[in-house]
């Protein structure tokens, strides 16, 4: 005959052990992009990942469109930029794609205009931006991505 008292004790220990094993996997540190090696401006831009996309807006509270995001990030560092993608492209010095530095602006032709989207270059062919209502938030993308690679127009340095 088995003893229900001992069975309950083993059952509870088994449940606790299972819970510990399961939850220890969840306690692992999520993969994050180290920001210590970036300028404060790029680190701040990366910290805004996940902020909602909102056309015509330029604040973390209301959301961002692409140029509002770039303008906000640079203003936070004391650098004033024009509000529109076109204005940014026209007022900044062009740099070759093979000479991109962290913090440079990357411009794209997403709607038939050479300067219809802008993002901030991070490093290793990645840039942070507020892409569209469809994606819905600030995120990091790659210049190696076919979509962005085919639409790349130029880079400018503030």
């Amino acid at each position: 005959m088995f003893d229900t008292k001992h069975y309950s004790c083993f059952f509870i220990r088994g449940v606790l052990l299972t819970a510990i094993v399961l939850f220890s996997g969840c306690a692992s540190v999520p993969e994050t992009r180290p920001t210590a090696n970036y300028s404060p401006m790029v680190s701040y831009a990366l910290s805004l990942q996940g902020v909602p996309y909102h056309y015509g807006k330029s604040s973390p509270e209301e959301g961002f469109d692409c140029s509002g995001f770039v303008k906000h990030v640079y203003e936070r560092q004391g650098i004033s930029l024009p509000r529109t993608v076109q204005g940014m492209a026209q007022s900044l010095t062009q740099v070759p794609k093979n000479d991109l530095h962290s913090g440079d602006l990357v411009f794209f032709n997403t709607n038939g205009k050479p300067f219809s989207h802008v993002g901030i270059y991070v490093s290793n062919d990645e840039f942070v931006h507020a892409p569209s209502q469809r994606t819905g938030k600030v995120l990091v993308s790659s210049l190696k991505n076919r979509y962005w690679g085919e639409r790349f127009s130029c880079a400018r340095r503030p």
Side-chain angles (χ1 to χ4, degrees), residues 66 69-70 104-108 117-121 127-130:
C66 67
F69 169 70
V70 170
D104 286 345
L105 302 187
V106 286
F107 293 86
F108 302 89
H117 185 68
V118 64
I120 300 171
Y121 187 73
F127 63 102
V128 60
H129 60 137

Side-chain angles (χ1 to χ4, degrees), residues 85-106:
V85 176
Q86 185 79 25
M88 289 177 191
Q90 290 174 340
S91 68
L92 300 173
T93 304
Q94 186 165 346
V95 295
K97 188 176 183 181
N98 64 356
D99 190 32
L100 284 170
H101 295 159
S102 184
D104 286 345
L105 302 187
V106 286

Side-chain angles (χ1 to χ4, degrees), residues 97 106-118 127 143 145-154:
K97 188 176 183 181
V106 286
F107 293 86
F108 302 89
N109 179 345
T110 57
N111 67 5
K113 298 175 186 171
F115 306 117
S116 48
H117 185 68
V118 64
F127 63 102
L143 292 171
N145 172 288
R146 185 175 177 185
Y147 179 87
W148 295 112
E150 290 176 353
R151 288 163 177 77
F152 180 83
S153 294
C154 68

Side-chain angles (χ1 to χ4, degrees), residues 13-139:
R13 285 184 183 168
V15 168
L16 289 173
L17 183 58
T18 301
I20 289 169
V21 169
L22 289 173
F23 288 118
S24 67
C26 296
S28 63
V29 177
E31 185 178 330
T32 57
R33 193 175 313 280
T35 58
N37 297 332
Y38 298 123
S39 69
M41 189 270 305
V42 171
S43 294
Y44 178 64
L46 290 171
S47 78
L48 295 171
Q49 288 179 82
V51 172
Y53 177 90
H54 194 154
Y55 182 77
K57 300 299 180 183
S58 58
S59 74
E61 298 78 25
E62 294 183 304
F64 296 108
D65 63 11
C66 67
S67 58
F69 169 70
V70 170
K71 182 170 176 56
H72 171 81
V73 169
Y74 269 88
E75 279 185 348
R76 183 83 183 249
Q77 302 304 312
I79 300 168
S80 181
L81 292 176
R83 175 60 176 91
T84 66
V85 176
Q86 185 79 25
M88 289 177 191
Q90 290 174 340
S91 68
L92 300 173
T93 304
Q94 186 165 346
V95 295
K97 188 176 183 181
N98 64 356
D99 190 32
L100 284 170
H101 295 159
S102 184
D104 286 345
L105 302 187
V106 286
F107 293 86
F108 302 89
N109 179 345
T110 57
N111 67 5
K113 298 175 186 171
F115 306 117
S116 48
H117 185 68
V118 64
I120 300 171
Y121 187 73
V122 176
S123 69
N124 299 319
D125 289 321
E126 291 188 327
F127 63 102
V128 60
H129 60 137
S132 68
Q133 188 66 44
R134 185 181 61 78
T135 57
K137 62 186 175 186
V138 173
L139 52 83

